[in-house]
Amino acid sequence: MEHHQADLVIVGGGLGAVAAARAATRLGRTAIIATPGDWLGGQLTEQGVPPDEHPWIETETISAGYRELRERIRDHYRRHYPLTDEARADERLNPGGGWVSQLCHEPRVAAVVLEEVLAPAIESGQLAVLRNCSPVTVTRSADTVRSVTVKDDAGMLHELTGHFVLDATELGDLLALGDIPHVIGAESREQTGELHALEHPDPRDQQAITWCAAVEYRPGESHVVDRPAGYERWRDTLDPRWPGSQLSWTDVHPITLEDRYQPLFVGEPEAAVHRDDRDLWHFRRILARSKFDSSYTGGEITLINWPHTDYWGLPLLGVSEEVRKKALDESRDLTLSFIHWMQTEAPRSDGGHGYPELRLRGDVLGTDDGLAREPYIRESRRIKALFTVTEAHIGCEMRGEGAGSELFPDSVGIGHYRIDLHPSTSGRNYVDISCFPFQIPLGALVPIGTVNLLAANKNIGTTHITNGAYRLHPVEWSIGEAAGALAAHCLSSTLTPAQVRESAPDLRRFQDTLTSELGIPLAWPDEIRRTGKPDAPARRPVR
């Protein structure tokens, strides 16, 4: 067994992990990241999801670190791609022109950029990154996590020790391994007081996962994939909450739950692909031909992360490894089946059936098969925290028009997203409701029962309901950034996270560090917090 030691042990490789390492090393601390894959970035890279962000993302009301990440991605395209002069000069360059985000781009580009973000810390020796390593054991002594052991792809064990341990995994793995008090699935209305909570708690009520894929449109060509083993099942199975088969252009509107028809293209494909229609092709398009000059020989590329590929058959949490593996295999099979259906049976916008000209593009996802490296995870185990954010703190309906979100005196960051829950593995349909722009309270990062473990991903102290608003890219970044900075502050002050929160003077010192040294805003302008209305109408994607 190899031994590794640093001030911070960060397990997981998503945006929270990267932001935590960046913050801690900038504050003078050392860190180790142990990530299960090759790429850093989690949902942004390995899971293949362009950044889903709030309407103010292009303003100063975001973390300086997240702003740097977004601008580095744009600069990568300006330096290395044959952009048109107009696209190159566009301060708000959107390489894909997708309407889900103001910055739709290839996952592989984000993976390169995240390496650049951490390069100074790696080169200085402050940060080590262990790749292809998954946690297998957590050693505790009373309320202190002593070590985390991870196993690499070759079967070698690595024992990681540090003053602080951050769980930045996609499913909150350290919480289960370390017997840290946590919640799985949905709480009841009696437990949380939430308007949209279930009548009874249900651990199996976990959001659908999605195995994303990338496809290119190649007119006149045929790239039909083999028929997947479960194709007939997905084509012929009807779910009572869905208007028909998932292999269809018809799905459910997430807010109204009414049937909705969303085709791949609006109109003739060769013309539609170059427009900006509100169809599935343009929803998550990551390369738009119009952004590149005549030397560009590639085609348009979009990412498949649509309601039709949501997998809600089996949960990932609270089940055996055998059941989890079956769920992952079935999720992949569903996505491949939808692709085969699009290529062979789907109604075409110009008449006939099938788009054989759709070609899987695994290279933009770092795979050979065209699917993402990992499934898109929307829900994790969640810590039982010093403070739990509920719908009563952020929900528009519960708080009332103009009330705004709750003001948290221990704020360590801000974020905004609708409370957006996808169909669940227990049979519940979408829960998609408005919430106000919110703060991230320090208390939600700190689990009860331990003094040196912090949550740094979707595993913070939220409920099943509020997790739907705290789980997207910029919020995950801010959670990780705050956790890394908090660990660094505690090491300098010799206080525990709970003590920092309880001491008004020290809390102010920590918050001053966040704002002055890391450029992290802690509060929304009041007019935004109270209304949640941008200057222009916000787009309403399905995530």
Side-chain angles (χ1 to χ4, degrees), residues 219 305 389:
N305 174 16
V389 180

Side-chain angles (χ1 to χ4, degrees), residues 211 327-337 369 371-373:
W211 212 300
L328 297 176
D329 289 344
E330 289 185 349
S331 176
R332 290 177 61 88
D333 193 72
L334 169 59
T335 296
L336 286 169
S337 293
D369 62 9
L371 271 62
R373 290 165 168 247

Side-chain angles (χ1 to χ4, degrees), residues 321-492:
E321 285 301 317
E322 181 181 5
V323 171
R324 183 179 299 180
K325 182 180 183 305
K326 182 179 180 182
L328 297 176
D329 289 344
E330 289 185 349
S331 176
R332 290 177 61 88
D333 193 72
L334 169 59
T335 296
L336 286 169
S337 293
F338 189 78
I339 292 167
H340 183 79
W341 174 82
M342 286 197 299
Q343 294 173 326
T344 60
E345 294 190 53
R348 290 179 64 99
S349 57
D350 56 351
H353 291 82
Y355 292 95
E357 56 266 51
L358 295 176
R359 173 193 174 200
L360 280 169
R361 284 292 303 270
D363 56 311
V364 304
L365 295 164
T367 65
D368 295 328
D369 62 9
L371 271 62
R373 290 165 168 247
E374 297 291 338
Y376 176 29
I377 303 295
R378 295 184 175 89
E379 186 164 347
S380 170
R381 299 175 180 88
R382 303 182 302 279
I383 60 170
K384 291 186 176 180
L386 295 183
F387 182 85
T388 299
V389 180
T390 71
E391 186 183 351
H393 296 121
I394 67 172
C396 293
E397 190 173 354
M398 285 198 73
R399 294 187 64 78
E401 184 177 355
S405 60
E406 185 84 6
L407 290 172
F408 299 130
D410 62 341
S411 173
V412 292
I414 60 174
H416 182 244
Y417 218 74
R418 288 180 64 88
I419 293 174
D420 169 30
L421 306 179
H422 279 233
S424 81
T425 51
S426 70
R428 198 178 192 193
N429 213 328
Y430 284 106
V431 176
D432 195 306
I433 53 179
S434 297
C435 69
F436 294 107
F438 50 74
Q439 295 173 309
I440 303 167
L442 185 157
L445 277 57
V446 185
I448 60 174
T450 59
V451 295
N452 71 329
L453 185 137
L454 296 171
N457 201 318
K458 297 180 287 290
N459 52 354
I460 65 169
T462 56
T463 63
H464 174 73
I465 298 294
T466 54
N467 162 72
Y470 278 77
R471 65 179 175 82
L472 275 302
H473 303 67
V475 181
E476 183 190 337
W477 176 277
S478 293
I479 289 168
E481 195 168 43
L486 178 58
H489 179 83
C490 288
L491 289 171
S492 298

Side-chain angles (χ1 to χ4, degrees), residues 179-252:
D179 197 25
I180 311 297
H182 62 274
V183 179
I184 292 174
E187 302 92 341
S188 69
R189 190 172 300 126
E190 181 180 358
Q191 289 173 314
T192 67
E194 294 173 306
L195 183 63
H196 290 86
L198 297 174
E199 184 177 352
H200 302 288
D202 186 356
R204 287 184 62 90
D205 194 68
Q206 300 169 30
Q207 286 196 69
I209 64 172
T210 301
W211 212 300
C212 302
V215 290
E216 179 183 8
Y217 183 74
R218 304 285 296 182
E221 300 180 7
S222 179
H223 300 277
V224 177
V225 300
D226 294 338
R227 177 175 288 204
Y231 182 76
E232 285 77 11
R233 170 194 173 186
W234 303 115
R235 184 190 61 191
D236 302 335
T237 297
L238 302 181
D239 188 290
R241 64 193 138 166
W242 216 246
S245 166
Q246 284 186 260
L247 306 191
S248 166
W249 296 136
T250 302
D251 64 1
V252 172

Side-chain angles (χ1 to χ4, degrees), residues 32-184:
I32 298 167
I33 291 178
T35 178
D38 290 323
W39 285 0
L40 296 170
Q43 61 180 317
L44 185 65
T45 57
E46 292 211 316
Q47 297 174 27
V49 183
D52 285 325
E53 300 164 331
H54 56 69
W56 304 276
I57 201 67
E58 300 287 0
T59 71
E60 293 298 310
T61 317
I62 64 168
S63 158
Y66 192 73
R67 183 184 307 112
E68 175 194 346
L69 170 63
R70 298 176 85 255
E71 289 311 308
R72 280 179 177 268
I73 290 171
R74 284 175 167 145
D75 287 343
H76 183 95
Y77 281 93
R78 294 187 182 107
R79 293 195 311 269
H80 301 295
Y81 283 67
L83 299 173
T84 64
D85 291 342
E86 181 182 5
R88 193 178 306 279
D90 186 357
E91 292 184 358
R92 297 188 176 184
L93 171 64
N94 186 347
W99 54 271
V100 71
S101 170
Q102 298 180 64
L103 182 59
C104 286
H105 55 80
E106 299 159 278
R108 66 179 175 188
V109 169
V112 170
V113 168
L114 287 169
E115 296 291 338
E116 294 175 353
V117 167
L118 295 182
I122 294 173
E123 291 166 3
S124 70
Q126 284 182 280
L127 175 65
V129 179
L130 305 181
R131 302 176 195 273
N132 303 306
C133 288
S134 298
V136 291
T137 59
V138 171
T139 303
R140 286 182 58 182
S141 175
D143 60 0
T144 302
V145 175
R146 295 299 181 187
S147 67
V148 178
T149 299
V150 299
K151 181 188 288 187
D152 64 26
D153 280 356
M156 178 176 289
L157 297 176
H158 302 259
E159 184 182 48
L160 315 179
T161 57
H163 298 291
F164 276 87
V165 174
L166 275 58
D167 186 343
T169 62
E170 295 299 317
L171 292 172
D173 294 332
L174 300 192
L175 307 183
L177 292 172
D179 197 25
I180 311 297
H182 62 274
V183 179
I184 292 174

